[in-house]
């Protein structure tokens, strides 16, 4: 759900190990201070084995721990690892981490395939967001430039475009701040600037989801209600689209400061706090899905109406086209992983949400601006008008070289001629009135 920009396996695993090691060493230090445990004490003391933390045990005791979070990233079905406290100290873990936790040792030995996979995902979403950023910016310029395209529908499209643009920018900023260095020092970054970047990132992602929701809500309202005040509705749409994410992200940031102020806030270990952001997003996705089904039902009824011409195949063809156009506009594809836990199907989620999702802005810009008939006709009209003005300007320059050399451009000359001709016509009309 937009939780991370790049779940780089090496970086995240190192962060997890360092955090768990710091927690384990802190427990060991507290235990030594409070209980006076040391290496000469009977039994087995606290131990950090570079993977997980083992609590102290008496001789002959078997200690069991669950698979560390490191392994849960790559495999959801993890088991239990045990160690026996013997006279010689801790025994070897049994079963081995790789057997109990279902982790492939090839990653630790080679790691090339995993690194290549995540680098490929990063390259894919970098190209996707860059393409979306350019196409959306061009679409915004077109919709802002032509006044005849200014209407409530296009204003909503423009806000959606802005949310996609902000989302792409926030992704690049987050990558730059967190992953600029090749080392893993970002694991322990805890600056105000870094946290502000994360707040901005989550705000942009939430705004994007809510404007997708508003697109569905507006279209559904347009189909259901015959007459409704669009301008008044747009005011409330703006509050929902930009105001609701502001409230949710602000509440989340305040809760993080008081209850989970660790690192750069890029990890969301506290599930309850994460649902402050994820809950409204999932809710908007599901409501949009319901609206999507409702709109499809309405389209079926309208296309099967006896007033609609065409045979049955053309009706279903138009319905399929309408449905495909609505999917990227509503973000219906996000329902695939809407309710799945964050640690489930991480590889598929990365490709789906980061790889394919990065091109959603480009698809929306193409379908709802570049391929829009109203936009194309307005561009063609402006193009014809420009060609006509250019033709008359060049023609006037050839016919009246003395005026052209005076430094007055063709547009100004045409306006002067039109004004003078209108004055001549007015004077002739006045003369005729006086004569009568």
């Amino acid at each position: 759900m937009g939780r991370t920009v790049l779940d780089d396996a090496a970086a995240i695993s190192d962060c997890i190990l360092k955090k768990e090691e710091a927690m384990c060493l802190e427990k060991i230090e507290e235990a030594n201070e409070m209980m006076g445990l040391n290496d000469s004490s009977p039994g087995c003391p606290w131990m950090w084995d570079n993977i997980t933390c083992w609590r102290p045990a008496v001789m002959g005791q078997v200690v069991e721990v669950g698979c560390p979070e490191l392994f849960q990233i790559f495999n959801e079905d993890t088991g239990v690892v045990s160690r026996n406290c013997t006279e010689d100290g801790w025994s070897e873990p049994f079963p081995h981490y790789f057997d109990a936790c279902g982790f492939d040792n090839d990653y630790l030995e080679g790691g090339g395939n995993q690194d290549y996979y995540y680098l490929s995902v990063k390259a894919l979403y970098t190209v996707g967001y860059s393409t979306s950023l350019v196409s959306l910016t061009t679409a915004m310029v077109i919709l802002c430039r032509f006044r005849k395209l200014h209407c409530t529908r296009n204003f909503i499209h423009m806000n959606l475009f802005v949310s996609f643009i902000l989302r792409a920018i926030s992704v690049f900023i987050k990558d730059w701040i967190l992953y600029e260095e090749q080392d893993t020092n970002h694991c322990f970054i805890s600056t105000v600037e870094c946290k502000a970047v994360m707040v901005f990132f989550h705000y942009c992602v939430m705004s994007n989801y809510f404007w997708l929701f508003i697109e569905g809500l507006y279209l559904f309202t347009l189909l259901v209600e015959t007459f409704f005040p669009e301008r008044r509705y747009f005011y409330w749409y703006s509050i929902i689209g930009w105001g609701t994410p502001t409230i949710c992200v602000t509440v989340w940031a305040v809760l993080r400061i008081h209850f989970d102020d660790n690192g750069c806030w890029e990890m969301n270990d506290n599930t309850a706090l994460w649902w402050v952001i994820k809950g409204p997003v999932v809710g908007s996705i599901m409501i949009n899905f319901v609206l999507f089904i409702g709109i499809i039902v309405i389209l079926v009824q309208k296309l099967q109406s006896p007033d609609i011409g065409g045979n049955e195949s053309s009706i279903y063809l138009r319905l399929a086209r309408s449905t495909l156009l609505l999917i990227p506009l509503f973000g219906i594809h996000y329902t695939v992983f809407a309710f799945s836990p964050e640690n489930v199907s991480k590889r598929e989620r990365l490709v789906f949400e980061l790889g394919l999702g990065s091109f959603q802005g480009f698809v929306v810009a193409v379908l709802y601006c570049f391929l829009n008939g109203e936009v194309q006709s307005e561009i063609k009209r402006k193009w014809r008008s420009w060609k006509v003005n250019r033709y008359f300007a060049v023609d006037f320059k050839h016919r009246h070289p003395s005026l052209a050399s005076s430094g007055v451009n063709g547009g100004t000359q045409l306006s002067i001629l039109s004004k003078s001709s209108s004055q001549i016509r007015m004077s002739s009309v006045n003369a005729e009135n006086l004569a009568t």
Side-chain angles (χ1 to χ4, degrees), residues 261-274:
D261 192 12
N262 298 318
C264 192
W265 296 358
E266 79 279 11
M267 303 293 290
N268 296 283
D269 299 325
N270 193 321
T271 306
L273 296 184
W274 177 236

Side-chain angles (χ1 to χ4, degrees), residues 10-175:
I12 289 183
S13 61
D14 286 338
C15 286
I16 292 174
L17 287 177
K18 288 183 178 180
K19 289 180 180 180
E20 290 191 352
E21 181 182 7
M23 294 173 59
C24 185
L25 295 178
E26 184 179 353
K27 292 179 181 179
I28 293 175
E29 184 178 355
E30 291 178 356
N32 290 336
E33 293 177 355
M34 298 178 59
M35 304 177 62
L37 291 178
N38 49 58
D39 294 339
S40 61
S41 300
C44 301
W46 283 92
M47 183 183 69
W48 169 255
D49 64 354
N50 294 325
I51 295 181
T52 191
C53 194
W54 295 88
R55 60 179 174 83
V58 298
M59 190 176 301
Q61 182 181 1
V62 177
V63 178
E64 295 182 348
V65 296
C67 287
E69 185 181 355
L70 167 66
F71 295 96
Q72 296 176 11
I73 295 177
F74 308 99
N75 186 15
E76 296 84 27
D77 300 326
T78 56
V80 175
V81 181
S82 304
R83 282 185 187 267
N84 188 15
C85 182
T86 64
E87 295 181 357
D88 299 328
W90 288 107
S91 67
E92 292 296 322
F94 60 92
H96 197 275
Y97 285 112
F98 300 127
D99 298 327
C101 302
F103 187 70
D104 189 3
N105 194 25
D106 292 340
Y107 174 78
L108 294 180
E109 293 179 351
N113 293 333
Q114 289 284 350
D115 292 341
Y116 178 78
Y117 171 77
Y118 287 104
L119 288 175
S120 300
V121 173
K122 182 176 182 179
L124 178 63
Y125 80 69
T126 300
V127 173
Y129 280 122
S130 300
T131 306
S132 297
L133 190 60
V134 173
S135 59
L136 289 166
T137 303
T138 306
M140 279 293 298
V141 171
I142 294 174
L143 294 181
C144 292
R145 175 65 180 82
F146 302 119
R147 298 182 63 88
K148 286 191 175 182
L149 300 177
H150 292 181
C151 60
T152 302
R153 182 187 72 257
N154 286 334
F155 285 153
I156 294 177
H157 287 339
M158 291 164 67
N159 278 272
L160 179 64
F161 293 170
V162 171
S163 70
F164 273 114
I165 292 173
L166 291 176
R167 181 169 183 170
I169 293 174
S170 67
V171 166
F172 293 136
I173 293 176
K174 184 182 177 183
D175 267 0

Side-chain angles (χ1 to χ4, degrees), residues 146 372-387:
F146 302 119
N372 185 285
E374 185 181 6
V375 174
Q376 291 180 349
S377 62
E378 185 65 16
I379 293 176
K380 290 178 182 178
R381 189 184 69 82
K382 287 291 185 180
W383 173 254
R384 288 194 297 266
S385 176
W386 179 82
K387 289 180 65 177

Side-chain angles (χ1 to χ4, degrees), residues 391-410 412-414 416-418 420:
Y391 170 78
F392 280 112
V394 173
D395 183 68
F396 186 84
K397 182 177 179 180
H398 288 296
R399 289 172 181 264
H400 304 277
S402 59
L403 288 177
S405 62
S406 65
V408 183
N409 58 36
T412 306
Q413 296 164 3
L414 289 175
I416 293 174
L417 287 176
S418 61
S420 60

Side-chain angles (χ1 to χ4, degrees), residues 156-199:
I156 294 177
H157 287 339
M158 291 164 67
N159 278 272
L160 179 64
F161 293 170
V162 171
S163 70
F164 273 114
I165 292 173
L166 291 176
R167 181 169 183 170
I169 293 174
S170 67
V171 166
F172 293 136
I173 293 176
K174 184 182 177 183
D175 267 0
W176 177 59
I177 295 297
L178 292 183
Y179 303 104
E180 181 184 17
E181 300 294 336
Q182 294 299 323
D183 56 23
T184 56
N185 292 332
H186 69 273
C187 300
F188 300 100
I189 293 178
S190 184
T191 62
V192 176
E193 294 79 6
C194 180
K195 295 174 183 177
V197 168
M198 294 305 304
V199 171

